[in-house]
Amino acid sequence: MKVRILLFAAAQDIAQNSSIELDVGTDPTVSELRKLVGDTYPALRALLGSSRFAIDREFVSDDTIVSSHSEIAMIPPVSGG
Amino acid sequence: MIELTSTEIDTQRILDDAYRADCGAVVLFLGTTRQWTKDRETDHLVYDAYQAMAVSKLEELKRAAIDRWPVKHVAIVHRLGRVDIGKASVAVVVASPHREAAFEAAKWLIDELKRQVPIWKQEHWTSQAPSWIHPPSSPGNPTSNPPT
């Protein structure tokens, strides 16, 4: 299945895009997605290590299953305020 | 009121909204842009956000503060885009019948905002290329915040 991952801040600059699309197996976990992002975009690896993932606007843990119609986002360490 | 805005924060307006007959305290916290970080000079900041999630997280924080403290009014406004030196990038306003709750809730809200609301700051330095700030020691960092 195909998933789209929203990118922000430095991740967006590194990928030169506000989102990326990846082909993944059925029902991947966030952890599998994380690895696939790093394999496809090695330049994102360093930031991936310190980033969280959000699904449908909620932070999720690495064992969460991802479905293709979810809104998926890579959230680098935040710095608002 | 929860708001992300690309225009200057109108502190008078958000204070006017906070005055209530049943409250004896209004606390306003403003985060402002600092010119110097050690020996590096900032020209201006640029803020980016995952807007839909940031608004939803801010609403969640507001509800949590109202549940936890006897506060009657909470407003949080955060700037997006360019913010010049000395300007407010964030405002947190809390009104409560007595001051302790307003101080405590306001501090908790800005601390949590900085920990978990998806907003990012880009420093535009006077003498080097701009850099996004992704604090390695951020409590939101998975290495210090194991998955639940």
Side-chain angles (χ1 to χ4, degrees):
Chain A
M1 67 186 216
K2 261 197 190 338
V3 295
R4 194 164 78 97
I5 302 170
L6 304 177
L7 302 177
F8 297 94
Q12 201 172 89
D13 286 0
I14 292 166
Q16 297 183 319
N17 217 324
S18 58
S19 68
I20 51 176
E21 251 190 23
L22 295 173
D23 275 312
V24 292
T26 317
D27 298 336
T29 61
V30 166
S31 164
E32 286 161 354
L33 211 59
R34 198 186 270 280
K35 181 172 180 315
L36 188 61
V37 173
D39 290 348
T40 315
Y41 296 87
L44 281 175
R45 268 185 203 150
L47 195 55
L48 268 171
S50 61
S51 293
R52 285 177 285 181
F53 276 75
I55 294 182
D56 296 332
R57 303 162 189 181
E58 289 290 342
F59 289 115
V60 292
S61 60
D62 270 16
D63 56 4
T64 305
I65 308 274
V66 178
S67 73
S68 59
H69 49 267
S70 301
E71 184 173 297
I72 306 161
M74 174 182 160
I75 312 284
V78 301
S79 53
Chain B
M1 178 182 53
I2 297 295
E3 192 176 85
L4 302 176
T5 176
S6 51
T7 58
E8 198 159 328
I9 297 175
D10 185 344
T11 49
Q12 193 55 55
R13 178 173 66 94
I14 56 179
L15 277 175
D16 287 344
D17 290 346
Y19 297 130
R20 296 169 53 109
D22 57 356
C23 287
V26 174
V27 167
L28 165 65
F29 169 81
L30 293 176
T32 57
T33 54
R34 201 170 42 231
Q35 185 171 14
W36 292 93
T37 304
K38 295 182 180 163
D39 56 353
R40 287 202 290 180
E41 186 179 9
T42 297
D43 181 73
H44 64 276
L45 299 178
V46 170
Y47 285 91
D48 184 24
Y50 177 8
Q51 293 194 37
M53 183 174 171
V55 167
S56 128
K57 282 277 151 204
L58 289 170
E59 294 281 4
E60 236 173 69
L61 292 178
K62 174 179 172 171
R63 282 195 300 274
I66 289 169
D67 282 348
R68 187 163 163 184
W69 286 276
V71 300
K72 305 290 187 186
H73 174 91
V74 171
I76 307 171
V77 181
H78 202 296
R79 286 287 303 272
L80 295 180
R82 179 184 171 128
V83 183
D84 289 322
I85 299 301
K87 298 289 186 187
S89 55
V90 62
V92 174
V93 180
V94 179
S96 61
H98 301 283
R99 68 183 181 282
E100 288 82 1
F103 275 122
E104 281 175 22
K107 179 176 188 316
W108 181 82
L109 284 164
I110 186 62
D111 288 349
E112 288 300 308
L113 180 155
K114 291 176 86 86
R115 208 175 72 81
Q116 55 166 317
V117 177
I119 298 175
W120 298 271
K121 161 194 308 180
Q122 188 182 41
E123 291 270 5
H124 285 247
W125 309 102
T126 53
S127 56
Q128 59 194 101
S131 47
W132 286 105
I133 307 302
H134 294 303
S137 60
S138 157
N141 180 327
T143 55
S144 60
N145 186 22
T148 49

